[in-house]
Amino acid sequence: MFDKNRIITIANQKGGVGKTTTAINLATALAAIGEQVLIIDLDPQGNASTGLGIERRDRKLSSYDLLMGFNSIPETVQATAVPNLSIVPSTMDLLGFEMEIAQDSDRAFKLRRALQSQEARAYSYILVDCPPSFNLLTMNAMAAAHSVLVPLQCEFFALEGLSQLLETVDQVRRTVNPSLDIQGIVLTMFDARNNLAQQVVSDVRTYLGEKVYHTLIPRNVRVSEAPSHGKPAILYDLKCAGSQAYLQLASEVIQRERRRKAA
C-alpha cells in the first residue's frame, strides 16, 4: 500500500442508507475545496455514475475493465461536471465479475493492484462506492482501502446492521488488509422530530464514541431530487440543509486526516 493519497471505501451491506448519496456529495465537497478526487463505482446498479451525470451509453469502459486488468486508471476515468472530480463508472458487466474470477488466487486484490499505479497517486482522495452486500466487489474495495466510511441510517435496526459490518471489517483486517481502519460512521436520514432517530444517534455515539462524525445528514427532499438531474446535491441546491451537512462532513474528514498524519 502507498500513502500518497487516501483510499476510502464507502460500505454498508444494507441498502437505502444513503451510501451512494454520501459518496457523491462527500466527493463533491472535497473537490470543491481543491482536492483531486476520484470515485470508483463498484455497484453494478451504477447509481454513483448516474448521479454524476454519466449516461449509460457513454460508459465505454468501466470499473469492470479496471478490475479485470483490461484497462488502466487513465483509460477508464471520466471527467464529471464537478471540477477536480472524476469517476470510473460502473456497468452491468460487474454482475459477472465474481463468477469470472472465482478461481483466481488474487481475486481479492484486483482493485488494489489497479490502484497501485502512478496515475492513481494523482488523486488525493479515492472514494470507492460499494454494492449493498458483502461480496467479492466489496472485498476488493476493502482490500484496497486505507479505511472504511460507514453511512448509517437513523432507524431501529441500525445498530444490528452496524455490528455485522464491523465484524466484516475485522474479518478483512485479519485476512487480506491488516491496516484497514474505520474512517468514521456517518449518521444519515436524520429527522430531529423523530424520538427514535434521536435515540439511535445516542446509542451509536455511546457504542462507538469518536468514530462517529459530529455531522448529522438530515432527511432532505432536495438531496433526494438531485440524482434524477445527474447532479450532486451540492450543485443542485448548495443552500439546502443536506448540502450544507455534506460540506460540514468533508471538513470533518479533512480534520481527521490532518490529525492522523500529525500523530
Side-chain angles (χ1 to χ4, degrees):
M1 299 289 285
F2 46 83
D3 56 7
K4 296 290 185 183
N5 55 15
R6 189 70 170 167
I7 303 171
I8 302 173
T9 286
I10 300 179
N12 191 322
Q13 73 274 25
K14 189 176 185 303
V17 299
K19 178 178 53 62
T20 298
T21 300
T22 296
I24 291 172
N25 287 289
L26 176 58
T28 300
L30 290 168
I33 58 176
E35 302 287 355
Q36 292 296 320
V37 186
L38 174 66
I39 291 179
I40 297 181
D41 190 349
L42 280 195
D43 188 343
Q45 296 176 79
N47 290 336
S49 307
T50 302
L52 284 168
I54 309 296
E55 300 285 348
R56 292 191 182 276
R57 64 177 177 271
D58 296 328
R59 303 175 200 178
K60 307 302 182 190
L61 296 173
S62 70
S63 53
Y64 169 82
D65 301 289
L66 182 68
L67 288 167
M68 295 299 290
F70 300 151
N71 298 92
S72 64
I73 287 280
E75 293 168 326
T76 53
V77 162
Q78 292 193 33
T80 73
V82 181
N84 303 324
L85 175 58
S86 301
I87 188 169
V88 176
S90 163
T91 62
M92 298 296 280
D93 291 340
L94 282 177
L95 290 171
F97 172 73
E98 198 155 354
M99 188 176 298
E100 289 184 54
I101 68 159
Q103 304 304 317
D104 292 5
S105 59
D106 66 341
R107 57 187 174 273
F109 302 104
K110 303 290 188 181
L111 184 61
R112 182 189 289 190
R113 181 201 62 229
L115 296 183
Q116 286 176 328
S117 66
Q118 189 64 40
E119 293 86 355
R121 301 180 193 215
Y123 301 96
S124 43
Y125 287 92
I126 298 177
L127 305 185
V128 186
D129 188 32
C130 295
S133 61
F134 184 66
N135 55 20
L136 262 176
L137 289 167
T138 305
M139 174 71 85
N140 265 267
M142 290 188 180
H146 297 103
S147 61
V148 180
L149 189 149
V150 184
L152 194 69
Q153 187 176 356
C154 295
E155 60 152 35
F156 180 69
F157 293 113
L159 281 174
E160 180 181 320
L162 179 60
S163 298
Q164 294 171 353
L165 184 62
L166 295 179
E167 288 174 11
T168 297
V169 172
D170 283 341
Q171 178 187 347
V172 171
R173 193 183 290 124
R174 290 193 304 269
T175 55
V176 298
N177 187 358
S179 63
L180 186 66
D181 190 21
I182 298 291
Q183 177 83 17
I185 312 296
V186 183
L187 293 164
T188 63
M189 303 181 186
F190 175 72
D191 185 347
R193 301 165 298 178
N194 187 323
N195 290 336
L196 177 60
Q198 300 274 13
Q199 187 60 50
V200 169
V201 171
S202 176
D203 289 348
V204 174
R205 292 201 193 285
T206 299
Y207 183 42
L208 283 168
E210 288 301 309
K211 285 292 184 186
V212 185
Y213 288 103
H214 295 294
T215 302
L216 298 173
I217 308 298
R219 283 194 179 275
N220 188 258
V221 173
R222 302 295 277 173
V223 169
S224 301
E225 289 174 352
S228 66
H229 295 270
K231 291 181 178 181
I234 291 170
L235 284 191
Y236 181 64
D237 185 349
L238 176 61
K239 294 182 179 180
C240 76
S243 294
Q244 290 300 306
Y246 277 115
L247 289 170
Q248 292 172 17
L249 177 63
S251 176
E252 276 199 78
V253 168
I254 288 173
Q255 287 170 14
R256 287 192 182 194
E257 284 303 300
R258 286 173 179 161
R259 288 198 298 268
R260 180 187 63 81
K261 289 174 181 176

